[in-house]
Amino acid sequence: MATIKEIAAMASVSRTTVSRVLNNSGYVSEDVRKRINKVIEETGYIPSQQAKSLRTKKTKVIGVILPTIKTETSGRLVAGIDEVLSEAGYQILLANTNLDRQKEIEFLQLLKVRQVDGIILAATNVNDELVEKIKQLDIPFVAIGQEIQGIFNVLYDDYHAARDMTSLFVRKGHKRISFIGVDESDRAVGFLRKKGFLDEMNNNNLSVEDAWVEKGVFNIQSGYEAMARIIQNSTRIPTAVFAVTDRLAIGAMRYLNEHSYTIPDEMAIAGIGASEMSKYVTPPLTTIDYFNESVGHEAAKLILNRTTNHNKEFKKITSNYRLIERDSV
Amino acid sequence: MATIKEIAAMASVSRTTVSRVLNNSGYVSEDVRKRINKVIEETGYIPSQQAKSLRTKKTKVIGVILPTIKTETSGRLVAGIDEVLSEAGYQILLANTNLDRQKEIEFLQLLKVRQVDGIILAATNVNDELVEKIKQLDIPFVAIGQEIQGIFNVLYDDYHAARDMTSLFVRKGHKRISFIGVDESDRAVGFLRKKGFLDEMNNNNLSVEDAWVEKGVFNIQSGYEAMARIIQNSTRIPTAVFAVTDRLAIGAMRYLNEHSYTIPDEMAIAGIGASEMSKYVTPPLTTIDYFNESVGHEAAKLILNRTTNHNKEFKKITSNYRLIERDSV
DNA sequence: ATTTTGTGTGTAATCGATTCCACAATTAAT
DNA sequence: ATTAATTGTGGAATCGATTACACACAAAAT
C-alpha cells in the first residue's frame, strides 16, 4: 500500500499538494492536479483513514450498542441506522451486550477509546452508573427506547400504545383483561406499558384481578408459562390477554392452542412489536408496529446532526406507532 | 483527554517508559511502574487506539459484510461472530450491502481503507470481479455460505441438506414433489439446493414436471406467488412442495391455507433455515437448522487464526445441519 | 509605479502512540 | 579485576496523513 509520501515523490510534488487534491482544498493548478490524479489512479492509492483520523479527530464511525443482535427488532433498528449513516459516509461499530449491564458500561469506554464520533445506545434498563458514565463521556450520544434526562432520546410511545391496545380490547367488549408484562426495572417495556394498561382499565372502570397480571422475560417460552399461570391461578378466567411483546404473545397463543382455547372467541390476544412472525401465526396476531427502522433513521439523523452541527440543545423524539388489527382480538 | 506525553510529564518519566508499563514490555522498575500507574489511575487516561493502530498496523477490528441485517439468519450469524471476536478483544465494523453487488465491492475497499484486520463476507452471488477484488485486497478473508477458490470458506452443506429433505418426502410416500427455489446465480441456495433435490428425485426414479419447479426471491410474498403458479400450471397437482428457504415455505403455506389445502395431508411442505417463525406457524414447519450461530463462531475463529498465526493454507469448513421434523410433512 | 489580491507550491509541525538504539548502573561470570 | 550480562531509562525516528505558515509570482487595483 502506497503512502502519500510516495505519491508525492512520483508526481514530483510535496505531500501538501497531494493532500490538497485529495481533499480538494486550497489552490492546485490544473496541470499538477492532473499529474497527481494520474499517479493516484495508476497506483490505486487510497489514503489511510487511520492517519487521517489521528490528525483530524474524526473517525466517521458511530458505535451502536445493542442488548442483543439476534432479534428482528435489533436488526431493523440497525438497518435503519445504517441506512442514514452509510449515506453520510459513516460506518457502524457494533457492540453487543447480550443484556449484560456491566458490558454496557465497558463498551462505552471501549467505543471512546476507538474515538467513535458518536454512540447510539438501544437501552433496556438504565441505572445511575450508566447515566453517570454517559455524561462524563463527552461524546455525541443518542439513547433509543428509554428516556434519559440530559441526553438525546428517541422513544417509543409505550404508554399510549399500551392504552390504545387496551382500549381496543374494551371496545371489543372485553371486561376481564389479563396482562403479561416484564420487570418494571425496564421502565419503557416494563413500567410504562403496564401503566398504560392499568390506566386505561381504570378509565373504563374495569378491575384487574391480581392473578391476571403476570410477568415474563423476552422470549416465547416465557409467554407460554405466564399464560399457564394466569389460567391456573385466576378465580375468574379472563377473556383477553395483552402481552407486552409479540414473543410473549406468541408463547401465550401456543399455550392457548395446546389447551384448546379458541382465539379470539374464548380468549383474545394481542402483542407489541409487529414482528414478521406475528403475521403468520394462526390466527394472525393483533399488534403494534413501532417502526423500528424509522426510529433507527431518527437516531442516526440526530447523532449526525449532533456531530456535525454541534447542536447542543437536547432533544427528545417520540416516534409514532400503528395499531395493526388482525384476527386475534 | 490526556495523552501519553502528559502522563509521562506528570510521572516525571519519558513516554517510552509509560508505553512500557502500558504494554508491559521491557524493563521497568517497580517504583516507576507504581508511580505511572498511579497517574494513569488518577487521570483516567486511556491510550488512543487511533495512534496505536497507526503505529502497529493492527486495529483489532474485523469488517463484516452482510447482504442484509434485517433477517434472523444475519442476526444469528453476527451474534456468533461477535461472541468469538469480542472474547478476543476485537470488534465488528458493519457493512450492509442490501443485496447490492456493487456495494459489496465498494465495502471491500472501504474496509481496507479502515485497515480492518480481517473481513468476513456473508456471500450471496459471487462474480469474478468480486473474487478478483478479494484476492488483490491482501487482507485475511473468510467467506461464509459460498465457496470461493483460494480463500477461506465456511459453508453450509446445501447439497446434502436438500437431498436429505427430499429423501424425507420420499420416505413419507410422496411421488409428486414440487420445488420452490431461487435464481441459480446464487450457487449455494439456488444451484446446489436444487441439484440436491433433483438428484435425490432421480435417485428414486421420480420425475419432475416442469411446472413443479418454480423460482422466487428471498421473501414471503414470493413464496406465496410461486405456490400459486405451481398449483395453476401443473397438469398433475403435486402432493408436496420443498421450498429452499423458510420464508418461501411460509409464503407457500399461506397460499395453501387461503385456498383450503390441508397441510400436510393434501400438500406436505418443508423449508430450510429453522427460522424462529417456522416453529410457530400452523402446522409447525419441517425445516433444516443450519446452526448459523456456530457458523459465525467458525468464521470468527478462522479469521482470528489467520490474522494472528498468519496461517496461510486455505481451509474449507463445511458446517453440519440438522433436519427438524415437525408437522408439515 | 507601487501596492494589493489571488494563485500555486513547499517546509515543517502536529496528531498520539510504539520501538530501535544508545547509554548507565548494577550484578554475575570469568 | 576485568569482561559480560542483566536491568532500567530516555532520545528520537516512525506510522501516514493534515494544516499553519512562508514565499514566490502573476494579475488587478490604486
Side-chain angles (χ1 to χ4, degrees), chain B residues 162-297:
Chain B
R163 276 196 81 144
D164 280 6
M165 186 59 90
T166 308
S167 165
L168 173 70
F169 280 119
V170 174
R171 282 203 308 283
K172 293 274 182 176
H174 293 279
K175 303 210 178 306
R176 300 197 304 277
I177 307 173
S178 61
F179 180 86
I180 302 176
V182 301
D183 197 89
E184 294 183 32
S185 64
D186 182 328
R187 199 177 151 80
V189 183
F191 179 78
L192 288 175
R193 293 186 192 176
K194 183 172 177 183
K195 183 164 162 54
F197 165 70
L198 291 175
D199 284 3
E200 186 63 21
M201 288 297 275
N202 197 45
N203 195 244
N204 287 280
N205 298 313
L206 294 174
S207 63
V208 179
E209 229 181 72
D210 280 355
W212 296 348
V213 178
E214 271 293 343
K215 199 182 285 180
V217 294
F218 291 88
N219 64 45
I220 292 174
Q221 181 58 24
S222 174
Y224 182 97
E225 290 161 7
M227 190 73 246
R229 288 195 301 273
I230 289 175
I231 297 286
Q232 284 151 18
N233 301 336
S234 298
T235 48
R236 296 181 300 155
I237 302 286
T239 64
V241 55
F242 176 19
V244 296
T245 76
D246 278 2
R247 296 179 166 222
L248 287 171
I250 287 165
M253 281 179 77
R254 184 140 237 241
Y255 179 88
L256 295 170
N257 278 142
E258 282 182 13
H259 294 76
S260 329
Y261 286 80
T262 61
I263 301 171
D265 298 340
E266 290 175 90
M267 184 77 76
I269 183 162
I272 291 185
S275 61
E276 193 172 23
M277 221 190 312
S278 67
K279 195 171 173 183
Y280 297 97
V281 290
T282 312
L285 182 67
T286 290
T287 185
I288 283 174
D289 189 355
Y290 264 162
F291 303 120
N292 304 94
E293 222 166 328
S294 71
V295 165
H297 291 162

Side-chain angles (χ1 to χ4, degrees), chain A residues 14-71:
Chain A
S14 71
R15 310 210 288 292
T16 308
T17 310
V18 176
S19 176
R20 284 203 188 95
V21 348
L22 250 29
N23 302 288
N24 52 17
S25 60
Y27 297 111
V28 180
S29 70
E30 208 42 49
D31 276 8
V32 173
R33 182 185 303 278
K34 269 190 191 134
R35 206 163 71 224
I36 294 175
N37 276 326
K38 188 150 165 278
V39 175
I40 289 176
E41 181 83 14
E42 283 168 6
T43 54
Y45 162 75
I46 319 156
S48 151
Q49 179 59 45
Q50 216 61 222
K52 183 170 180 161
S53 295
L54 179 59
R55 187 65 228 255
T56 60
K57 307 272 163 214
K58 303 228 157 298
T59 53
K60 291 255 172 185
V61 170
I62 301 291
V64 175
I65 305 179
L66 300 170
T68 169
I69 174 70
K70 270 186 263 188
T71 62

